[in-house]
């Protein structure tokens, strides 16, 4: 037991798997998600995987993602022609479309005639496999510099744009299809329909995969991974850890003990909620550890956000190790596994995706110490937040848990810009509680993705309160709308709601004399400030 890397999960075969070949696209996981939304199981594989290994997975179809490269660039990703000759339906998007064209003898020109963003697509064969039932003029999302000017032999050109003569082609005989644009993004108005046409009509796949399948597959994988050993799960109060714990509880029952660490970084009332709601919903064993003083001591004098994240991650593990010893003394069998609610966006932002940069250490990913003595069980590792909520509902968790807005594992420790102290935590807890109360009262809980409330602890500004000069802290409201946390926009909350939140915070929370609104999208900003 020596690594923070998840133990290899057993292969859970699925008869209708669709492989998404990732060429470094920012949207590769979104493609896989769209496939799953079409009720078809999907997996992402790197473009460096040999074609023989891809075909050994017996895929029902293969999708080639976009990517940042030009097909003419030195060192650009390539693909063995054998993938197009194996009889497996293939759908190329953007770079994958151009790679299919050049590999099979078509022509892609480096003309410099670029298309970025919303573009009008002209469908020339409205009854084709991909475009049946869609408008002859439709808006799509382009992002390319090269352009296909001639389709490979045997392909029909089915769409174009004012700039690109071949914006889509189809070969029904060989079941090979491609589009120059990104059907997976919402800006392509009929993109999901086009993708489903490929899956259902082109590849002949029946839409039968559901969140129930996720549960069945993960339960089997967890049982095979854990065996007769014991596992512990760190409950943070958030939906991710709760769903992960409920899933593992379903798989191994009493072999799981959930550990809730009261590190003093939670929001107002959340410790009580975890103790009441989660146990009532799952019947799981729950051990509560009071570690507030330990975490405050470890964070004393630390202002750097990355250092704070790593300290919090380290202390979590140390607390778990102590809990392991206590459980061992009480119950005997070895505790070998640590369950975490890691999601795919956590992996991407920690540099774990194909060709992705490390934006910030996630407490479940980059924040763990190197000498961790648990093997990790991460049953939600390939899912987005909305998919996790669906799994939670399927497992019977109450809405109070499943619909809870996202909250970071490091808690309020990364919503205090500056050193974390008990006084600052108490201040932020009160401001956060007011914001949550007013958003709930206004019926806006489901309208926004989340609303981090941030304390700028190292910043003070002049104010006037009670006819006197004050020198207090600013509080930042960060309401955002998002589908999956990969991108986000600031939520346009009603002015009267914002005004009420501001008035209450400045009136009721000591040492706060200013409330500001963060109107930055992601990118360039992240959702959390630290």
């Amino acid at each position: 037991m020596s690594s923070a890397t998840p133990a290899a999960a057993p292969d859970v075969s699925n008869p209708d798997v669709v492989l998404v070949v990732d060429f470094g696209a920012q949207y590769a996981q979104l493609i896989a998600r769209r496939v799953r939304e079409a009720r078809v199981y999907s997996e992402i594989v790197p473009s460096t995987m040999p074609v023989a290994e891809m075909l050994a997975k017996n895929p029902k179809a293969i999708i080639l993602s976009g990517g940042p490269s030009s097909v003419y660039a030195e060192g650009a990703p390539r693909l063995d022609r054998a993938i197009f000759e194996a009889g497996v339906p293939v759908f190329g998007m953007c770079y994958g479309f151009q790679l299919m064209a050049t590999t099979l003898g078509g022509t892609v020109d480096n003309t410099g005639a670029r298309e970025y963003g919303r573009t009008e697509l002209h469908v020339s064969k409205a009854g084709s496999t991909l475009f049946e039932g869609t408008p002859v003029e439709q808006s799509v999302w382009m992002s390319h510099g090269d352009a296909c000017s001639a389709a490979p032999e045997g392909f029909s050109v089915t769409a174009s744009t004012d700039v690109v003569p071949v914006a889509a082609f189809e070969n029904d005989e060989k079941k090979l299809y491609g589009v120059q644009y990104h059907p997976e993004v919402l800006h392509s108005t009929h993109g999901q329909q086009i993708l489903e046409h490929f899956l259902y009509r082109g590849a002949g796949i029946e839409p039968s995969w559901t969140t129930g399948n996720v549960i069945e597959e993960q339960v089997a994988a967890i049982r095979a991974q854990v065996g007769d050993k014991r596992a512990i799960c760190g409950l943070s109060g958030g939906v991710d850890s709760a769903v992960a714990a409920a899933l593992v509880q379903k798989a191994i029952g009493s072999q799981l003990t959930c550990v809730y660490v009261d590190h003093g970084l939670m929001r107002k009332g959340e410790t009580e909620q975890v103790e009441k709601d989660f146990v009532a919903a799952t019947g799981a064993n729950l051990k509560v550890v009071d570690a507030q003083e330990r975490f405050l001591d470890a964070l004393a004098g630390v202002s750097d956000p990355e250092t704070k994240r790593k300290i919090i991650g380290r202390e979590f593990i140390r607390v778990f190790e102590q809990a392991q010893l206590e459980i061992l003394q009480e119950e005997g069998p070895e505790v070998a596994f640590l369950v975490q609610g890691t999601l795919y966006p956590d992996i991407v932002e920690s540099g774990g995706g194909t060709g992705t940069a490390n934006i910030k250490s996630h407490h479940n990913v980059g924040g763990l110490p190197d000498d961790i003595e648990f093997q990790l069980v991460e049953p939600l590792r390939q899912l987005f937040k909305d998919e996790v909520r669906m799994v939670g509902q399927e497992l019977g968790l109450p809405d109070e848990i499943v619909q809870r807005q996202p909250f970071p594992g490091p808690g309020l420790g990364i919503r205090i810009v500056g050193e974390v102290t008990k006084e600052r935590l108490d201040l932020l807890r009160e401001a956060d509680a007011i914001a949550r109360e007013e958003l709930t009262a206004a019926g806006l809980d489901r309208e926004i993705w989340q609303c981090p409330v941030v304390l700028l602890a190292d910043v003070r500004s002049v104010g006037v309160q009670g006819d006197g000069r004050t020198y207090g802290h600013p509080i930042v409201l960060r309401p955002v709308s998002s589908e999956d946390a990969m991108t986000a926009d600031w939520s346009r909350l009603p002015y009267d709601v914002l005004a009420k939140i501001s008035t209450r915070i400045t009136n009721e929370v000591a040492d706060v004399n200013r409330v500001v609104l963060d109107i930055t999208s992601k990118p360039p900003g992240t959702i959390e400030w630290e």
Side-chain angles (χ1 to χ4, degrees), residues 7 18 52 104 150 157 177 189 239 294 313 404 408 433 448 453 477 490 510:
V18 171
L104 296 178
V157 177
Y177 306 88
T189 52
V239 60
R294 173 178 186 147
R404 186 173 183 268
I448 62 174
V453 178
L477 302 180
W490 64 281

Side-chain angles (χ1 to χ4, degrees), residues 57-109:
K57 291 178 173 286
N58 297 315
K60 283 289 181 126
I62 295 173
I63 296 175
L64 309 180
S65 84
S69 301
S70 164
V71 290
Y72 294 108
E74 185 176 347
R78 296 284 184 259
L79 201 58
D80 192 329
R81 184 187 178 99
I83 200 168
F84 303 114
E85 299 172 343
V88 178
V90 181
F91 186 24
M93 302 177 179
C94 196
Y95 182 83
F97 167 75
Q98 295 180 357
L99 193 60
M100 181 187 293
T102 55
T103 302
L104 296 178
T107 303
V108 174
D109 300 312

Side-chain angles (χ1 to χ4, degrees), residues 342-366:
T342 310
L343 307 191
Y344 182 75
D346 304 332
I347 303 299
V348 171
E349 291 199 336
S350 300
T354 303
T356 55
N358 186 353
I359 298 170
K360 59 187 177 185
S361 295
H362 187 266
H363 59 286
N364 288 351
V365 186

Side-chain angles (χ1 to χ4, degrees), residues 411-433:
L412 299 180
I414 58 164
R415 290 185 178 175
I416 294 176
V417 179
E419 182 185 2
V420 178
T421 67
K422 184 179 185 305
E423 294 71 26
R424 291 173 172 181
L425 284 166
D426 290 342
L427 184 158
L428 181 55
R429 251 189 289 271
E430 292 303 317
D432 176 85

